[in-house]
Amino acid sequence: MAKRTTASKSKVKYSKETYAYWYESMLLMRRFEEKAGQLYGQQKIRGFCHLYIGQEACASGAITALTKDDKWITAYRCHAHPLGLGTDPGAVMAELFGKITGTTKGKGGSMHIFDKERNFMGGHGIVGAQVPMGLGIGFAEKYKGTQNVCICKMGDGAVRQGAFHEALNLAMIYKSPVIFVIENNGYAMGTSVARTSNVTELYQLGEAYDIPSFPVDGMNVEAIHEAVAEAAERARKGDGPTLLEFRTYRFKGHSMSDPQKYRTKEEVEEYKMKDPIEQVLKTIKDNKIMTEDEISEINARVKKKVTDAVKFAEESPWPEGEVAFQDVYVQEDYPFVME
């Protein structure tokens, strides 16, 4: 696999449908989360809320490189992935509201979106906890003899966890079909990568386990698609895992309570010049892949989806108290669940 830092210089390498999907899916993620941020300020969404704004290409580019049967698992910045995979935006918004119609019946909230139908194995709140789980999901696919892979995403802070290194070691021993992805947005909460490790080229961590490991331009959806497609091909051939470092950037804080004093406004504005949505829209317009009317239709469709999602969430009922005891154990008559 060649080193990936930017997309190919070719202006148009993919179909109109692919570019349309990239634009619409990323725009939906952006507008959905912008609205979620507003609703959080109105206290309609409570608890934790980590926005993906700026990082949308990391989800959309990977989705087009994989199949509907492949498995997904990620950390707690998890709204965008199910939206890109086709989960009903209303169900995602309802989960943020804590309503019974949410993806996990209002029990998980922002950090624990889940959609079994679309093989999205959830967002996970414990830093790095999803990494060995991703290894296990991939191993299960190999054990069952499928050609499916698991893409396992984490933030840059998660690579300091021991479980990350244990999972990489086992993944290479088992030749598990896993694509490990570090979504490196530069700051683990509010601490820069340079302050936490002498190894700032995070993809190099995989090389210690002989895992093919590469940096990728995380602001460019084409570069991400290409890197993930190659990693998936390797996994399906039985050659084992790949580690990719998506070099991306979040335009908002770590969470809604983040004052962002650890970075300058100038730095944020510099990265906004690399906005992945604007990049793909420029490619579409420059190469006349879609007409202005078609672009306007997408914009209107996304706006309606977000409006409908908020309406659905607001009108949905709250869960009853007994719901707290449901779906906790597989065994329905588990003896330690009290009436």
Side-chain angles (χ1 to χ4, degrees):
M1 181 188 291
K3 182 176 179 179
R4 295 285 185 190
T5 55
T6 59
S8 169
K9 292 182 180 179
S10 176
K11 291 184 178 180
V12 178
K13 293 185 63 175
Y14 304 101
S15 67
K16 175 181 177 178
E17 289 72 24
T18 299
Y19 280 105
Y21 167 79
W22 283 337
Y23 176 63
E24 183 165 354
S25 63
M26 289 196 291
L27 188 65
L28 175 61
M29 296 169 193
R30 178 73 57 88
R31 297 292 179 257
F32 181 97
E33 291 205 310
E34 287 172 344
K35 177 56 69 173
Q38 293 173 8
L39 294 166
Y40 192 94
Q42 298 169 15
Q43 296 189 344
K44 292 184 177 181
I45 295 173
R46 302 188 182 190
F48 294 100
C49 187
H50 304 84
L51 303 181
Y52 206 64
I53 292 175
Q55 299 184 209
E56 294 89 353
C58 298
S60 291
I63 289 169
T64 51
L66 299 176
T67 76
K68 65 179 181 60
D69 296 318
D70 291 325
K71 307 300 190 292
W72 293 73
I73 191 167
T74 191
Y76 45 75
R77 202 177 299 276
C78 63
H79 312 150
H81 293 85
L83 291 174
L85 289 166
T87 302
D88 179 6
V92 180
M93 188 66 79
E95 187 60 38
L96 300 185
F97 273 60
K99 298 296 186 72
I100 190 66
T101 54
T103 57
T104 50
K105 301 181 182 178
K107 299 178 185 180
S110 170
M111 296 196 292
H112 304 103
I113 308 297
F114 185 91
D115 191 340
K116 181 179 179 181
E117 182 180 342
R118 288 166 179 80
N119 291 315
F120 183 66
M121 304 303 183
H124 295 265
I126 299 175
V127 175
Q130 76 279 11
V131 184
M133 293 172 68
L135 160 66
I137 293 167
F139 180 79
E141 295 299 323
K142 180 177 181 179
Y143 185 82
K144 291 185 292 186
T146 74
Q147 284 292 299
N148 302 331
V149 306
C150 175
I151 183 166
C152 175
K153 293 190 167 190
M154 69 207 80
D156 47 278
V159 304
R160 312 301 170 209
Q161 294 282 13
F164 167 81
H165 298 273
E166 294 167 356
L168 263 60
N169 184 53
L170 285 175
M172 201 56 182
I173 291 173
Y174 295 153
K175 294 293 188 290
S176 188
V178 182
I179 304 169
F180 293 107
V181 175
I182 304 168
E183 292 185 330
N184 181 5
N185 60 34
Y187 300 94
M189 295 184 70
T191 306
S192 69
V193 172
R195 291 182 61 197
T196 61
S197 174
N198 287 329
V199 180
T200 56
E201 303 285 325
L202 299 184
Y203 74 93
Q204 293 179 351
L205 295 171
E207 295 173 351
Y209 304 97
D210 288 336
I211 295 177
S213 306
F214 309 94
V216 184
D217 181 356
M219 306 301 280
N220 189 300
V221 71
E222 294 168 295
I224 289 171
H225 173 94
E226 291 168 12
V228 173
E230 287 193 34
E233 182 181 5
R234 169 183 164 78
R236 296 190 212 283
K237 289 193 301 184
D239 291 338
T242 299
L243 175 66
L244 301 174
E245 178 193 346
F246 289 176
R247 293 174 172 175
T248 185
Y249 199 84
R250 51 176 165 79
F251 297 162
K252 300 293 184 180
H254 168 73
S255 67
M256 294 300 296
S257 59
D258 181 5
Q260 305 184 63
K261 293 182 179 180
Y262 47 84
R263 60 184 184 178
T264 65
K265 292 181 179 179
E266 290 76 17
E267 178 183 297
V268 177
E269 291 305 314
E270 180 182 348
Y271 275 96
K272 284 184 178 180
M273 298 297 292
K274 304 175 183 178
D275 189 322
I277 301 176
E278 293 301 321
Q279 284 194 55
V280 79
L281 182 58
K282 185 177 188 303
T283 299
I284 289 169
K285 288 184 175 181
D286 286 353
N287 294 279
K288 297 180 172 55
I289 297 171
M290 289 191 289
T291 66
E292 289 293 339
D293 285 344
E294 289 174 317
I295 294 170
S296 296
E297 287 175 8
I298 289 176
N299 296 341
R301 187 159 59 242
V302 165
K303 183 177 181 179
K304 185 176 188 305
K305 284 182 179 180
V306 174
T307 300
D308 290 348
V310 175
K311 185 174 186 294
F312 176 78
E314 289 183 328
E315 295 178 353
S316 293
W318 298 99
E320 299 294 335
E322 62 268 17
V323 174
F325 297 98
Q326 298 172 3
D327 307 313
V328 179
Y329 300 99
V330 173
Q331 182 180 333
E332 292 185 5
D333 59 345
Y334 195 76
F336 299 107
V337 177
M338 306 297 291
E339 292 292 338

Coordinates of all heavy atoms in Angstrom, one line a residue, residues 4 29 31 35 71 84 112 129-130 133 137 147 156 169 172 186 205 256 259 303 323 326 330:
R4 N -0.4 7.3 2.1 CA -1.5 8.2 1.7 C -1.5 9.5 2.5 O -1.7 9.4 3.7 CB -2.9 7.4 1.9 CG -3.0 6.2 1.0 CD -3.4 6.6 -0.4 NE -3.7 5.5 -1.2 CZ -3.8 5.5 -2.5 NH1 -3.7 6.7 -3.1 NH2 -4.1 4.4 -3.2
M29 N -24.6 15.4 8.2 CA -23.9 15.4 9.4 C -23.7 16.8 10.0 O -23.9 17.0 11.2 CB -22.6 14.7 9.2 CG -22.6 13.2 8.8 SD -21.0 12.7 8.3 CE -21.4 11.1 7.4
R31 N -25.3 19.8 9.3 CA -26.5 20.5 9.7 C -27.2 19.9 10.9 O -27.7 20.6 11.8 CB -27.4 20.6 8.5 CG -26.9 21.3 7.3 CD -26.8 22.8 7.6 NE -26.2 23.5 6.4 CZ -24.9 23.9 6.3 NH1 -24.1 23.7 7.3 NH2 -24.5 24.5 5.3
K35 N -27.6 21.9 14.5 CA -28.9 22.0 15.2 C -28.8 21.4 16.6 O -29.3 21.9 17.6 CB -29.9 21.3 14.4 CG -31.3 21.3 15.0 CD -31.8 22.6 15.4 CE -32.2 23.5 14.2 NZ -32.8 24.8 14.6
K71 N -18.6 -4.2 9.5 CA -19.0 -3.8 10.8 C -18.3 -2.5 11.2 O -17.1 -2.2 10.8 CB -18.7 -4.9 11.9 CG -19.3 -6.3 11.5 CD -20.8 -6.2 11.5 CE -21.4 -7.6 11.4 NZ -21.1 -8.3 10.1
G84 N -24.5 8.7 8.3 CA -24.0 8.3 7.0 C -24.3 6.9 6.5 O -24.4 6.7 5.3
H112 N -23.7 7.0 23.0 CA -24.0 5.6 22.8 C -25.1 5.3 21.7 O -26.0 4.5 21.9 CB -24.4 4.9 24.1 CG -23.4 5.1 25.2 ND1 -23.5 6.0 26.2 CD2 -22.2 4.5 25.3 CE1 -22.4 6.0 27.0 NE2 -21.6 5.1 26.5
A129 N -12.0 1.8 24.9 CA -12.6 0.5 25.2 C -13.1 -0.2 23.9 O -13.2 -1.5 23.9 CB -13.8 0.7 26.1
Q130 N -13.4 0.6 22.9 CA -13.9 0.0 21.6 C -12.8 -0.7 20.8 O -13.1 -1.5 19.9 CB -14.6 1.0 20.8 CG -13.7 2.0 20.0 CD -13.2 3.1 20.9 OE1 -13.3 3.1 22.1 NE2 -12.6 4.1 20.3
M133 N -12.7 -4.4 21.4 CA -13.9 -4.9 20.9 C -13.9 -5.0 19.4 O -14.5 -5.9 18.8 CB -15.1 -4.0 21.4 CG -15.3 -4.0 22.9 SD -16.5 -2.7 23.4 CE -18.0 -3.4 22.7
I137 N -14.7 -8.2 17.1 CA -15.7 -8.2 16.0 C -15.0 -8.7 14.7 O -15.6 -9.6 14.0 CB -16.3 -6.9 15.8 CG1 -17.1 -6.5 17.0 CG2 -17.2 -6.8 14.6 CD1 -17.5 -5.0 17.1
Q147 N -16.4 -12.6 4.5 CA -15.4 -11.7 3.9 C -15.5 -10.3 4.4 O -15.0 -9.4 3.9 CB -15.6 -11.7 2.3 CG -15.1 -12.9 1.6 CD -13.5 -13.0 1.7 OE1 -12.8 -12.1 1.2 NE2 -13.0 -14.1 2.3
D156 N -7.2 10.4 19.0 CA -5.7 10.3 19.2 C -5.4 10.0 20.7 O -4.3 9.4 21.0 CB -5.1 11.6 18.8 CG -5.8 12.9 19.3 OD1 -6.8 13.2 18.6 OD2 -5.4 13.5 20.3
N169 N -1.4 -6.0 18.9 CA -0.6 -7.2 18.9 C -1.4 -8.4 18.6 O -1.0 -9.2 17.7 CB 0.0 -7.3 20.3 CG 0.9 -8.5 20.4 OD1 1.9 -8.6 19.6 ND2 0.7 -9.4 21.4
M172 N -2.6 -8.7 14.8 CA -1.6 -9.1 13.8 C -1.3 -10.6 14.0 O -1.1 -11.3 13.0 CB -0.3 -8.3 13.9 CG 0.6 -8.3 12.7 SD -0.3 -7.8 11.2 CE 0.9 -8.0 10.0
G186 N -5.8 16.3 16.7 CA -4.8 17.2 17.3 C -4.8 17.3 18.8 O -3.8 17.7 19.4
L205 N 2.9 4.0 15.4 CA 2.7 3.1 16.5 C 2.3 1.7 16.0 O 2.7 0.7 16.6 CB 1.6 3.6 17.4 CG 1.9 4.9 18.1 CD1 0.6 5.4 18.8 CD2 3.0 4.7 19.1
M256 N -19.5 20.2 24.5 CA -20.2 21.5 24.5 C -19.7 22.4 25.6 O -20.0 23.6 25.6 CB -21.7 21.2 24.6 CG -22.3 20.5 23.4 SD -22.1 21.5 21.9 CE -23.1 23.0 22.3
P259 N -14.2 25.4 26.7 CA -13.9 26.8 26.4 C -12.8 26.9 25.3 O -12.6 28.1 24.8 CB -13.4 27.3 27.7 CG -12.8 26.2 28.4 CD -13.6 25.0 28.0
K303 N -32.0 20.0 4.8 CA -32.7 20.9 5.7 C -34.0 20.3 6.3 O -34.3 20.4 7.5 CB -33.0 22.3 5.0 CG -33.6 23.3 5.9 CD -33.8 24.6 5.2 CE -34.5 25.6 6.1 NZ -34.7 27.0 5.4
V323 N -38.6 0.9 31.9 CA -37.7 0.7 30.7 C -36.3 0.6 31.2 O -35.5 -0.1 30.5 CB -37.9 1.8 29.7 CG1 -36.9 1.7 28.5 CG2 -39.3 1.8 29.1
Q326 N -35.2 -3.0 31.3 CA -35.3 -3.8 30.1 C -34.0 -3.7 29.3 O -33.3 -2.7 29.3 CB -36.5 -3.3 29.2 CG -37.8 -3.4 29.9 CD -39.0 -2.7 29.2 OE1 -38.8 -2.2 28.1 NE2 -40.2 -2.7 29.7
V330 N -29.9 -10.5 28.6 CA -30.5 -11.4 27.6 C -31.6 -12.2 28.2 O -32.7 -12.4 27.7 CB -29.5 -12.2 26.8 CG1 -30.1 -13.2 25.9 CG2 -28.5 -11.3 26.1

